[in-house]
Amino acid sequence: MSKNMKRLTKKQMRIFAIGQLGWSTLSGIISAWLVTFYLPTSNDIKDAGATQYILPGLVIGGFLTILGLITAISRIFDAVTDPLIASMSDRSKNKRGRRIPFMQYAAVPLSIVTVLLFCAPVEEISSVNVVWISIFVILFYLFMTMYCTPYNALISEFGKTQEDRMYISTAISLTFFAGTLLAYTPFLFAGVIRGMGVSFAWSYRICFIVLAVISTVCMLVPTFALKEKDFVDTEPSNANMFKSLASTFKNKDFRTFVGSDIMYWIGLTMFQTGLPFFVKVSMNLPESFVMVFMGGMTVLSACFYPFVTKFVKKWGKKKLVIAGFLGLALAYVITAVTNIGGIIPQNSEATLTLPAMIFGLLICVVAAFPMALLGIIPQSIVADVAEAEGIKTGENREGMFFAARTFAMKLGQSIAMLSFTSLAIIGTTQNTNSNDITASTTGLLIVALASVVFCVLGAIILGFYREKNVMKTIAKAEDEEFLSAVGATSAEETAENADSSAE
């Protein structure tokens, strides 16, 4: 990389993070509302006038919904597009840079497709709607990959020092949480809009349109405010997709990280998917407390963000991520025991009780710091490994590394979504014709304990990550504090460890 390249200022790093606010809002809309909108509960249909656009219930093999099948197929499509887009970006010779042109082209279509996904054309159960949803789910993930893969690759390329890399990772973690919370705002506004005489479907569509406009602006801001070529001067990769992907997974440290990361996403997604059920069933609290606990956990986690870089300078990234895994596992253990031995009274209706509130607040407090660690540090680890590989091989394949990490995340989330339904209903008689999941306290106990197991496995696997070797390979004079945290006292040891940093 040319020594004449500029470093981003703190302000420019914050501008870069605005892009993540945009795409995380759109991603949050799909995660939070796709099932709610197209698989409405009986109460939504009866009380709010929700429309059923597709056949309800577990109609695929008795354990999967039509929407679940569509989502599963889209993930298979993702398995192809993630490395394809990464390879195209890594090999790009665009005069404006390898990343930003992709982001610019993807931003507007991604926002439009997100809204259209919720605009099924037939106002009743119809196969036409199934086709419509299938097409737009696939398009959503295509344009999401076109924006996110190049965007994430810039973390490594814009973050020229460990200090810069940690600052960028912290900033985008904050905007990710902000975007996710924005995606939940229809909980507050859709009902108000329906009070004005708007239908159930359009009360949400109006919210999605507003959020999509905001997201478009946010995603485009860094593409116009930052000139990639001013900060990045790397040679395009010459490897084709298959060769690049194979070379990426030949890196032992990256394989270790990905194995750990999959465990993390399975455990986290199982817990987050189950949160409304933990609140309503295990804690016997009103549903509104889902937002209270999630919001409280997010805000408290954000309070720890300014300290993460300081902790990394003292203990290194690997130890802190392992601590994050174990801290999250502890939060899940607390969740698992919320309804053991009659600690929380179980009434016929959800009510506010002191034991339930204490457990809920305890979970929020215990999980907040681990979420801060796991929300910031893993992205910078991927950037470190990608840079080390580039130094060793001369191939700049940051896009492929982040694409592989993104696919690991999606794989973990998909496994968790499929596992949750199977585990949560243990001990109940599930009505396969209903969209209402009948979760039991036994099933939710198993979900929480399974989440603990996955987090512990993630910590064990990450124990094999050779952080010291990677840090020595990418060592710079400005990174002395980060190097000393892992037992590497100077950048002079780079050469002797380069060969062992990636196998």
Side-chain angles (χ1 to χ4, degrees):
M1 187 176 293
S2 172
K3 294 182 179 180
N4 296 322
M5 288 293 101
K6 299 177 184 177
R7 282 177 62 183
L8 267 70
T9 64
K10 292 289 194 295
K11 179 180 178 181
Q12 288 170 326
M13 292 179 198
R14 292 192 291 271
I15 289 172
F16 175 69
I18 292 172
Q20 180 123 334
L21 177 62
W23 77 253
S24 64
T25 300
L26 299 179
S27 178
I29 289 172
I30 302 302
S31 299
W33 297 107
L34 188 62
V35 173
T36 300
F37 189 87
Y38 281 116
L39 295 179
T41 64
S42 54
N43 287 336
D44 285 336
I45 295 170
K46 181 175 65 176
D47 300 333
T51 300
Q52 286 190 320
Y53 293 94
I54 58 178
L55 197 65
L58 304 172
V59 295
I60 310 296
F63 68 92
L64 195 64
T65 64
I66 289 175
L67 195 59
L69 179 63
I70 292 171
T71 304
I73 292 172
S74 71
R75 293 305 193 193
I76 295 172
F77 179 76
D78 253 355
V80 177
T81 58
D82 279 344
L84 177 61
I85 297 298
S87 179
M88 291 171 65
S89 178
D90 285 341
R91 298 172 66 186
S92 173
K93 297 179 181 179
N94 192 298
K95 63 181 180 181
R96 293 190 296 129
R98 297 191 297 167
R99 317 299 184 190
I100 281 180
F102 277 88
M103 293 159 56
Q104 242 170 23
Y105 299 147
V108 174
L110 177 57
S111 296
I112 293 173
V113 164
T114 303
V115 174
L116 290 177
L117 179 52
F118 294 91
C119 297
V122 182
E123 292 293 317
E124 60 183 11
I125 295 174
S126 170
S127 58
V128 173
N129 293 333
V130 174
V131 174
W132 179 277
I133 297 168
S134 300
I135 291 172
F136 283 100
V137 164
I138 288 174
L139 288 174
F140 171 83
Y141 285 115
L142 172 62
F143 290 119
M144 176 67 77
T145 300
M146 281 183 64
Y147 189 91
C148 292
T149 295
Y151 181 89
N152 288 330
L154 285 173
I155 297 172
S156 178
E157 296 172 337
F158 280 169
K160 291 182 171 58
T161 67
Q162 288 295 318
E163 193 83 41
D164 291 352
R165 200 163 283 175
M166 288 301 300
Y167 191 93
I168 292 172
S169 295
T170 301
I172 66 175
S173 294
L174 282 170
T175 51
F176 178 82
F177 278 126
T180 302
L181 288 178
L182 266 180
Y184 278 87
T185 54
F187 271 121
L188 303 175
F189 297 113
V192 175
I193 295 172
R194 284 198 296 275
M196 301 175 184
V198 178
S199 69
F200 179 90
W202 273 102
S203 69
Y204 286 107
R205 287 169 184 160
I206 290 170
C207 292
F208 299 154
I209 290 169
V210 172
L211 291 174
V213 171
I214 295 171
S215 298
T216 303
V217 174
C218 290
M219 287 189 290
L220 289 175
V221 164
T223 70
F224 287 105
L226 303 174
K227 294 182 179 180
E228 183 180 339
K229 284 290 190 177
D230 287 349
F231 307 98
V232 181
D233 181 24
T234 55
E235 288 295 321
S237 170
N238 293 317
N240 61 39
M241 183 185 80
F242 297 105
K243 182 181 177 182
S244 179
L245 186 61
S247 297
T248 299
F249 277 100
K250 281 182 181 177
N251 186 300
K252 182 177 180 179
D253 292 303
F254 186 68
R255 291 200 307 270
T256 300
F257 171 80
V258 166
S260 172
D261 207 38
I262 291 173
M263 297 300 107
Y264 164 64
W265 286 109
I266 294 175
L268 179 67
T269 306
M270 284 181 68
F271 179 78
Q272 289 182 334
T273 304
L275 185 60
F277 299 95
F278 289 127
V279 170
K280 292 185 292 183
V281 179
S282 296
M283 299 181 191
N284 203 44
L285 288 171
E287 189 176 26
S288 58
F289 276 86
V290 175
M291 280 296 293
V292 172
F293 292 145
M294 182 64 78
M297 201 182 306
T298 301
V299 171
L300 186 57
S301 178
C303 292
F304 289 113
Y305 275 31
F307 304 101
V308 173
T309 299
K310 295 178 182 178
F311 293 144
V312 170
K313 288 179 180 179
K314 187 171 184 179
W315 289 297
K317 298 175 184 179
K318 175 180 167 179
K319 289 179 182 177
L320 287 173
V321 173
I322 290 174
F325 272 121
L326 298 179
L328 212 54
L330 177 59
Y332 297 165
V333 169
I334 297 170
T335 305
V337 302
T338 51
N339 198 35
I340 293 178
I343 296 174
I344 297 176
Q346 295 295 296
N347 306 311
S348 57
E349 294 184 2
T351 56
L352 183 61
T353 63
L354 183 59
M357 285 296 299
I358 291 173
F359 269 97
L361 292 173
L362 184 59
I363 292 166
C364 288
V365 171
V366 172
F369 183 56
M371 286 179 66
L373 297 175
L374 295 168
I376 295 173
I377 301 175
Q379 289 275 39
S380 66
I381 291 178
V382 179
D384 291 345
V385 175
E387 184 182 357
E389 177 77 357
I391 291 171
K392 181 178 182 295
T393 65
E395 284 281 340
N396 299 299
R397 292 181 284 104
E398 293 87 353
M400 189 61 75
F401 276 93
F402 279 95
R405 198 259 165 150
T406 301
F407 180 68
M409 175 188 74
K410 293 171 183 175
L411 177 62
Q413 289 174 332
S414 298
I415 293 172
M417 293 292 287
L418 292 174
S419 300
F420 174 77
T421 304
S422 301
L423 297 176
I425 63 175
I426 290 175
T428 69
T429 302
Q430 179 72 14
N431 181 0
T432 58
N433 295 317
S434 172
N435 293 325
D436 299 319
I437 294 178
T438 308
S440 69
T441 52
T442 301
L444 292 174
L445 171 63
I446 294 171
V447 167
L449 292 177
S451 299
V452 171
V453 171
F454 284 117
C455 284
V456 172
L457 282 174
I460 292 171
I461 294 170
L462 193 66
F464 294 96
Y465 170 60
R466 300 173 302 178
E467 180 180 21
K468 185 176 180 179
N469 287 345
V470 172
M471 291 297 289
K472 285 179 178 179
T473 301
I474 63 175
K476 301 178 183 68
E478 300 93 335
D479 297 333
E480 186 175 346
E481 288 182 279
F482 294 91
L483 287 165
S484 62
V486 297
T489 56
S490 73
E492 295 174 359
E493 301 173 78
T494 297
E496 65 187 70
N497 291 281
D499 290 337
S500 62
S501 66
E503 293 181 1

